[in-house]
Amino acid sequence: MSSPALVPPPAAPADTAPGALRRSTLLALCACVLVAQSMVAAVNLLVPQLAASSLHPSATELLWTVDTYVIVFAGLLIPAGALGDRRGRKGLLLAGLALFAAGAALSALAPSPALLIAGRGVSGAGAACIMPATMSVLVQLAGPERRARALASWTLAVGLGGLAGNVGGGAAGQYLSWRALFWLMVPLAALLAWTVKVAVPRTGRSPHGHPDPRGTLLLVAALVALLAGIIEGPAHGWTSPRILVLFAVGAALTGLFTWYALRSPVALFDPRVFRSRRLRAAVLGTGTGFFGLFALFYANSQYLQYVKGYGPAVTGLAIVPLTLGMALFPKVSTRWQAASGPRPAVTTGLFLIGAGLLGASTADAATPYALYACWLLVISAGTGLCMPALTVGVVSALPAHQAGLGSGLGTSAREIGAALGVAVTGTVLAVHEADARAGSFADAMSPALRTAGALVLVATVLVTVGYRTGAGPTR
């Protein structure tokens, strides 16, 4: 069959020609990204309040309250991106905002843990529509000369979303109820929908796509099984029958999807796009960066509360130094990439994330917050340097009319990397018997962050080699 990735993109309609990206459109799209990404992290800081609430959730129900959003979000990203390319990106974005608000309302009203979990899943499905649609619209509207800068802004919004989730979740945990956080999302999503309707133009649909329900079902099931195994691994044990079955099912379904997609003339996407070393390196680099970032997020909130004695609100604010590098260094990355290609920015950025994690692993109860914040700044600078180049690397591996699919691939790598970062850090903490005592947690956090930092540095070498040997210019 002919690869969809090799089909030349159609000409853009006159009203959405490259270069038509307005500042109001960019701000509206980035605001949607920030809100959707914020709910990945926000609920983590509400776990103590949820555990003591009138819902009386079990430990397993608490786990699924946190994880269902991530599992559904990541599992639906690729098919949602392809759907937007085929059926309309603005329509998918508006539908995603509606689902996000409906899920938040269901969570806020939930009289039982089961309905709270269901609401989280509905919001996750909405977020899965929002993320690829926003990036796809940006790629369609920004010409080649502005694409890197537009995607740097999109990447910054992703990073700021994680920080906003920490700050918002911490404030809600200390000053409001957990229901208030979900209620806040409803009018916010409505406001964003109105802004999108006014500020975001419709873009041309891809004439080459076809619905692929079989491929979609196989791929979503494979991703859900894989993510469930990663997320539940620390709680159940990596060699427990439950986790091994989830990984085996995920691997089998991935193989079945690949076999099917290589033979189907209407596949969701052609797996042969991964023949590109540059694409493989960009996907691995994206996952690696978020692996390191979420390894830090997971340990950071506990370190600041258990070891430093901060309250939830101060804990959320104490990670704000991560915003500085994410806000300042994407511009540096864009210029560096234009002058020297993506490899130097990617390699330097990932190295700084790994080095920052190793530095943060030295923190204990006696470490001044100012010194700890310096390591946050190192990680922040690394993220700001590498993520814009990696985002462009994933998206540019596919033609412009498949930008939604490219966004889905890149964002799936982010979420899988984030889940692995939490899982690896949580496992090492459990092995070292971390608990809420200051000395106990500090002693366990050190090897956990050292492990995460070492893995980031090893992956950095692989990504660098992939960029060195990858062929073909980025578009």
Side-chain angles (χ1 to χ4, degrees):
M1 80 174 196
S2 64
S3 168
L6 301 179
V7 179
D15 62 337
T16 59
L21 180 61
R22 296 174 297 175
R23 181 179 294 274
S24 59
T25 303
L26 178 63
L27 292 175
L29 295 173
C30 288
C32 293
V33 170
L34 189 151
V35 171
Q37 188 68 31
S38 71
M39 291 305 286
V40 175
V43 175
N44 286 299
L45 292 174
L46 294 177
V47 167
Q49 192 182 104
L50 282 167
S53 71
S54 60
L55 297 183
H56 303 297
S58 66
T60 300
E61 288 168 336
L62 278 174
L63 179 68
W64 279 102
T65 298
V66 173
D67 294 340
T68 297
Y69 184 89
V70 178
I71 291 174
V72 176
F73 180 21
L76 292 178
L77 278 166
I78 294 174
L83 180 65
D85 289 336
R86 295 164 184 173
R87 300 301 184 192
R89 301 171 180 93
K90 182 175 180 179
L92 181 72
L93 177 54
L94 291 171
L97 289 167
L99 279 173
F100 184 85
L106 179 58
S107 297
L109 292 168
S112 67
L115 284 179
L116 174 60
I117 293 168
R120 291 280 288 162
V122 173
S123 287
C129 297
I130 292 169
M131 297 294 281
T134 52
M135 181 188 285
S136 186
V137 171
L138 285 179
V139 171
Q140 291 291 313
L141 297 181
E145 296 179 356
R146 299 183 64 192
R147 184 174 299 163
R149 293 181 65 182
L151 292 180
S153 298
W154 188 95
T155 304
L156 172 61
V158 173
L160 293 179
L163 297 172
N166 277 279
V167 174
Q174 185 154 348
Y175 302 116
L176 303 170
S177 74
W178 62 269
R179 295 185 190 272
L181 180 66
F182 291 114
W183 277 126
L184 178 63
M185 294 298 109
V186 178
L188 184 56
L191 176 61
L192 289 173
W194 177 82
T195 305
V196 166
K197 186 174 179 60
V198 171
V200 178
R202 294 192 180 274
T203 58
R205 302 178 186 181
S206 169
H208 305 290
H210 302 278
D212 182 20
R214 291 193 188 93
T216 298
L217 181 61
L218 287 171
L219 185 61
V220 170
L223 287 172
V224 167
L226 173 64
L227 284 163
I230 293 172
I231 289 169
E232 293 199 28
H236 295 276
W238 293 105
T239 58
S240 67
R242 178 175 184 167
I243 301 305
L244 293 177
V245 167
L246 284 171
F247 284 144
V249 169
L253 290 173
T254 300
L256 187 57
F257 169 80
T258 303
W259 176 86
Y260 165 80
L262 290 173
R263 287 159 178 78
S264 172
V266 292
L268 183 67
F269 75 94
D270 187 349
R272 282 173 284 202
V273 297
F274 285 105
R275 287 176 176 172
S276 166
R277 290 182 179 178
R278 180 68 62 85
L279 176 62
R280 295 199 302 269
V283 169
L284 175 61
T286 300
T288 298
F290 270 70
F291 171 91
L293 202 56
F294 274 76
L296 173 71
F297 281 156
Y298 185 77
N300 171 78
S301 62
Q302 297 177 77
Y303 167 74
L304 293 175
Q305 291 183 80
Y306 297 158
V307 180
K308 303 299 287 183
Y310 297 169
V314 176
T315 296
L317 290 172
I319 203 171
V320 166
L322 274 174
T323 62
L324 298 179
M326 291 182 187
L328 298 176
F329 279 85
K331 291 183 179 180
V332 177
S333 175
T334 300
R335 293 170 184 163
W336 198 357
Q337 185 179 359
S340 306
R343 186 161 65 100
V346 168
T347 300
T348 303
L350 291 177
F351 174 80
L352 288 176
I353 293 174
L357 287 170
L358 294 180
S361 73
T362 63
D364 56 23
T367 301
Y369 170 75
L371 177 58
Y372 182 70
C374 288
W375 296 119
L376 299 185
L377 288 171
V378 171
I379 295 171
S380 173
T383 304
L385 276 178
C386 69
M387 282 302 159
L390 289 167
T391 301
V392 172
V394 175
V395 174
S396 65
L398 298 173
H401 71 281
Q402 288 188 310
L405 174 59
S407 172
L409 289 172
T411 311
S412 291
R414 284 184 176 87
E415 298 309 318
I416 291 172
L420 278 170
V422 171
V424 169
T425 306
T427 298
V428 178
L429 288 174
V431 166
H432 288 82
E433 299 180 347
D435 58 33
R437 291 175 298 162
S440 171
F441 188 84
D443 290 343
M445 186 181 79
S446 181
L449 292 186
R450 278 203 308 270
T451 301
L455 290 173
V456 168
L457 293 177
V458 170
T460 299
V461 175
L462 299 178
V463 172
T464 302
V465 170
Y467 267 94
R468 182 173 62 83
T469 58
T474 56
R475 289 185 293 272

